[in-house]
Amino acid sequence: EGAESARVAARILRGEPASRFPPLEIPPSLPTYDWRELTRWGISESRLPPGSVVMFRQPTVWDRYRWPMIGTVALIAAQAVLISALLIQRRRRNLAQQAQKQAQAEVQLKQDQMGLAAEAANAAMWVWDVSADDLWMTEHGRSLFGFKPDARINFAATMDRVHPEDRAARESAIKRALETRGGYEIEYRLLEPNGVVRWINGRARCVEPNDGTGLKLFGVSM
C-alpha cells in the first residue's frame, strides 16, 4: 500500500491531475500471526481465522532431523536383522553339530554291537563304500586279514590278502553282485604274510541307502 501511494504521489508532483487516476482497489492482506507470540500467550492455531498465515514457526525435531533419524532407524533395523540371522545360523550350526555327534555316537554303538556279535560268531564284518573305495572292518576282521588297527583299507588291500589263484573268482563274484545289486557267497583262500593259508567263507549283499551316500557292500567273512 505504501509503494502504490508513493507512485500516485510522484505523478501528482509531476503535474498530473488527480482526476486522471482510476480508482485502485488494494485487497486486504491475509491475517498474519507470529508463531512465537501465539506460543507465548498460549493461543491455539485452531482459533485463528481461516486462511491465516503463521510466520516464524520453529521447526520440530522431526522437521529438522527427519532424514538422519530415518537413516539411523534403518541402520538399527538392518543391524537387528543381521544379528538375528547370525543367531539363527549359530543355533542351526549348534543343532547340526549336536545331531552329528549323536549320529556318530549311534554309529559307534552299532559298530561296537556288530563287533561283539561278529566276535562271538568268530566272523569278520565289514562295509565297503564303493564310490569312496573305503572299507570299514571290525577288529576281528582286521586281525583275520592282517591289517593294523589304524590302517586305511580299500578293495585292493583286501584283494592282496587273497590267494593269487582265488582272486579272479572273488573279484568276479563281487563285480556280479554290484552289477545286479544283489549278493554273493564264495569260499576262497586267504594267504597270510607268514605263508599260512586260511579258508574263508565270504558272504555279502549290496545296499543302497536313501541318504545319498552311494552304494554299499555289507559282508561277513568266516
Side-chain angles (χ1 to χ4, degrees):
E1 292 175 353
E4 188 61 30
S5 298
R7 285 193 291 270
V8 172
R11 293 172 63 183
I12 293 176
L13 291 175
R14 287 195 295 267
E16 291 188 42
S19 59
R20 295 182 57 182
F21 295 104
L24 180 63
E25 294 183 2
I26 300 176
S29 60
L30 295 176
T32 305
Y33 300 90
D34 190 329
W35 178 87
R36 296 167 297 184
E37 297 303 321
L38 294 175
T39 304
R40 175 185 176 187
W41 296 100
I43 301 175
S44 174
E45 294 186 24
S46 63
R47 299 178 58 185
L48 302 181
S52 298
V53 177
V54 179
M55 301 181 65
F56 311 113
R57 188 190 303 275
Q58 293 293 328
T60 62
V61 175
W62 172 254
D63 293 332
R64 282 187 284 180
Y65 305 107
R66 176 184 305 175
W67 293 113
M69 291 172 65
I70 292 176
T72 303
V73 172
L75 180 60
I76 294 175
Q79 289 179 343
V81 172
L82 179 60
I83 293 173
S84 300
L86 291 175
L87 291 176
I88 293 174
Q89 184 178 6
R90 180 181 179 183
R91 176 175 174 79
R92 289 179 178 176
R93 183 172 64 250
N94 292 337
L95 292 176
Q97 291 176 351
Q98 293 177 2
Q100 183 179 7
K101 290 181 180 179
Q102 184 178 357
Q104 291 176 349
E106 293 177 354
V107 170
Q108 185 62 43
L109 178 61
K110 291 181 180 179
Q111 290 179 352
D112 294 341
Q113 293 174 346
M114 291 172 60
L116 290 173
E119 186 175 353
N122 194 26
M125 302 183 69
W126 49 269
V127 180
W128 179 34
D129 188 337
V130 180
S131 59
D133 192 18
D134 187 38
L135 196 144
W136 170 86
M137 185 177 288
T138 58
E139 294 184 5
H140 181 65
R142 288 176 174 268
S143 176
L144 180 64
F145 279 82
F147 295 119
K148 295 181 180 180
D150 57 347
R152 184 181 182 277
I153 310 174
N154 55 17
F155 178 77
T158 60
M159 191 61 71
D160 289 340
R161 298 296 194 271
V162 179
H163 195 284
E165 296 179 0
D166 297 339
R167 292 177 182 175
R170 182 175 182 268
E171 185 175 5
S172 177
I174 295 176
K175 183 178 179 181
R176 184 168 57 253
L178 296 177
E179 292 176 349
T180 60
R181 297 296 192 270
Y184 72 86
E185 180 178 359
I186 186 175
E187 290 188 353
Y188 58 91
R189 288 168 292 177
L190 195 68
L191 183 60
E192 296 184 357
N194 57 5
V196 176
V197 176
R198 293 177 181 270
W199 277 97
I200 299 295
N201 178 271
R203 300 182 181 184
R205 179 167 297 279
C206 291
V207 176
E208 197 163 6
N210 296 326
D211 55 4
T213 57
L215 185 64
K216 304 285 191 304
L217 193 64
F218 287 73
V220 178
S221 299
M222 300 179 62

